[in-house]
Amino acid sequence: MADFLVLGGGFGGLAAAHELRRRLPRGDRVTVVAMSDRFFVGFAKLWDLAGSRPLADGTRMLERLEERGIRFVHAEVTSIDAATCSVQTTAGPISADGMVVALGAGYWPGHRELIEAGAYNLYHAPSLPDIHTALNDLTDGRLLVSIMGTPYLCPPAPYEATLLLEDRLRSAGLRDRVDIAISTPAPLTLPVAGPDASRFLAEELTAAGVGVFTEHTVGSIDPDRRTVTFQNSRTLDFELLLAIPAAVPPPVIHASTLAGPSGWIEPDRRTFATSAERVYAVGDCTLIHTATAQLPKAGVFAEAAGKIAATNLVADVYGGDRLTFDGYGYCFLELPGQRVATVAGDFYATPRPDVRLSPPDRASFSAKQEWEEERLNSLLG
Ligand SMILES: Cc1cc2nc3c(=O)[nH]c(=O)nc-3n(C[C@H](O)[C@H](O)[C@H](O)COP(=O)(O)OP(=O)(O)OC[C@H]3O[C@@H](n4cnc5c(N)ncnc54)[C@H](O)[C@@H]3O)c2cc1C
């Protein structure tokens, strides 16, 4: 009997665990270790925020893995020894014959401190009830959404959130009294998707009366005066500040030999193999270069990578099929009125990613709903 370990119960980890289970002999053991006991699709937070569906309705418990022949250990991984394929966890040590690391990303501590001073982390699920209270109390002034640094998870999500909140405030009859703006350190709204998608998004924001401040990096937040001062010296006041911190590698990865020069794991971008034998890494805890930038930190890529890594790990141990990632992926871009645009294409193309924007429609919104339902059912149904 062989033992296979998956670190993380998010998109990458669940995709890898199921692919391992599907390909391995019944007698082999697949274990998922995660410190969160539940899973939801990232964009479900936006539906909660917009008031269209509570996050709980799109949440599934990881203990359901047990019914699918996958052992679930609810614990924190405190150290990783890639050379011996073993980890220390708060539930004790675990060793394996092969491992897929899918521990996601954390938030940059400097941004966490700034946010604690007077804002809300838009991406932090436990903050959603407080954000709802703040939104319900918002009757005038400015709602400011600030992308604080890069990389950050799911590049379109802050813009989607802004447009969905614009719609929520408009429906509440507050739009003539509440100004809305979004800031980003980047020169375009969506550099990873290219100038066309960025222009499209900027036009949608402008048409909705949202101020767009590109090349604006937050320098400080004054919670008493309710102002943000950017590094270019511009100051904006706010009544409610929703911030998106930059992503950083989880400390346990940073402290391991798996971390590359960037602090992230930098696996082979086609096979997801790391420098350690029979150890693969996928999803947000990795840094993968494209011709012009980095692969976006998104669930679709984590999922694709998880399946490929698991397949290759099984081939390392038993022989058989190997897979490589072709760089193809897509991102949903949700707009008010149940419309979704799609940015899709080859992110590994040279000399630059070859990605195209499909105009928004309601059929794509239905496809997005089905996409979530299909994942929840197949991963934890
Ligand atoms: C608001 C929002 C909207 C989004 N919309 C989309 C979208 O439309 N499309 C899309 O593709 N992506 C979207 N994303 C991004 C997507 O959610 C992430 O890219 C995806 O979840 C990454 O998967 P992952 O498996 O790499 O990491 P995660 O899903 O973050 O999973 C990490 C796992 O590791 C566990 N973990 C972390 N550290 C430890 C530790 N030390 N010990 C034990 N366990 C640990 C966690 O508990 C978790 O189970 C969105 C994200 C947000 C925030």
Side-chain angles (χ1 to χ4, degrees):
M1 184 191 99
D3 260 308
F4 293 83
L5 188 54
V6 177
L7 306 184
F11 251 115
L14 291 179
H18 281 283
E19 194 61 28
L20 285 169
R21 187 65 288 163
R22 200 172 74 76
R23 289 179 176 269
L24 288 169
R26 274 289 129 194
D28 285 358
R29 186 158 65 168
V30 180
T31 301
V32 170
V33 186
M35 64 183 177
S36 170
D37 62 352
R38 60 201 64 201
F39 171 79
F40 49 79
V41 166
F43 58 62
K45 288 183 223 171
L46 301 182
W47 289 345
D48 184 297
L49 200 62
S52 54
R53 195 196 66 182
L55 184 60
D57 290 3
T59 300
R60 298 286 181 277
M61 303 308 286
L62 293 179
E63 66 192 11
R64 286 196 175 183
L65 288 169
E66 300 275 354
E67 293 158 29
R68 309 286 291 276
I70 298 168
R71 182 168 74 124
F72 172 53
V73 177
H74 183 202
E76 182 179 353
V77 177
T78 51
S79 73
I80 303 171
D81 185 343
T84 59
C85 208
S86 58
V87 296
Q88 295 293 331
T89 81
T90 47
I94 307 178
S95 296
D97 300 289
M99 178 161 74
V100 179
V101 183
L103 289 174
Y107 300 123
W108 190 52
H111 287 162
R112 272 214 314 257
E113 279 165 28
L114 275 180
I115 289 171
E116 276 160 21
Y120 296 93
N121 179 347
L122 180 67
Y123 276 11
H124 187 52
S127 299
L128 282 170
D130 289 340
I131 296 177
H132 279 295
T133 304
L135 282 166
N136 290 337
D137 290 346
L138 184 67
T139 51
D140 53 20
R142 175 179 290 127
L143 166 64
L144 178 60
V145 177
S146 278
I147 299 165
M148 302 184 85
T150 57
Y152 64 94
L153 308 192
C154 191
Y159 300 100
E160 296 175 290
T162 304
L163 286 164
L164 293 173
L165 290 177
E166 196 278 333
D167 193 52
R168 173 174 165 165
L169 293 169
R170 189 178 293 277
S171 302
L174 290 166
R175 204 44 189 97
D176 52 344
R177 283 186 281 151
V178 178
D179 184 40
I180 305 181
I182 182 164
S183 72
T184 173
L188 303 171
T189 51
L190 271 185
V192 70
D196 289 348
S198 291
R199 198 173 313 113
F200 167 81
L201 190 52
E203 284 167 8
E204 288 285 329
L205 291 159
T206 306
V210 174
V212 181
F213 295 89
T214 52
E215 296 185 309
H216 276 63
T217 303
V218 174
S220 62
I221 298 172
D222 185 332
D224 299 324
R225 298 171 69 192
R226 291 181 179 272
T227 55
V228 169
T229 301
F230 295 93
Q231 286 177 6
N232 61 11
S233 302
R234 185 197 289 264
T235 295
L236 284 180
D237 58 80
F238 65 83
E239 192 55 33
L240 174 57
L241 175 58
L242 302 178
I244 298 95
V248 290
V252 69
I253 283 180
H254 203 267
S256 80
T257 54
L258 287 172
S262 59
W264 301 94
I265 308 177
E266 301 180 26
D268 183 286
R269 68 184 200 145
R270 303 248 177 224
T271 65
F272 304 103
T274 68
S275 51
E277 209 178 331
R278 294 184 181 178
V279 178
Y280 289 78
V282 303
D284 286 358
C285 66
T286 64
L287 182 141
I288 292 181
H289 294 284
T290 65
T292 53
Q294 295 157 11
L295 199 62
K297 295 198 179 297
V300 287
F301 294 114
E303 180 184 55
K307 288 183 184 167
I308 291 167
T311 303
N312 293 336
L313 176 54
V314 173
D316 289 346
V317 177
Y318 288 109
D321 295 346
R322 287 186 183 275
L323 293 176
T324 54
F325 182 51
D326 57 8
Y328 184 87
Y330 56 91
C331 294
F332 298 117
L333 178 51
E334 184 168 338
L335 303 168
Q338 302 200 327
R339 294 172 304 137
V340 165
T342 315
V343 180
D346 180 0
F347 283 77
Y348 283 178
T350 52
R352 64 187 64 81
D354 181 17
V355 292
R356 311 276 158 96
L357 177 89
S358 306
D361 57 29
R362 291 177 73 103
S364 301
F365 178 79
S366 302
K368 180 175 174 178
Q369 285 177 308
E370 283 162 20
W371 189 90
E372 184 212 33
E373 194 183 339
E374 207 269 310
R375 263 83 193 158
L376 293 178
N377 289 338
S378 66
L379 297 173
L380 294 163

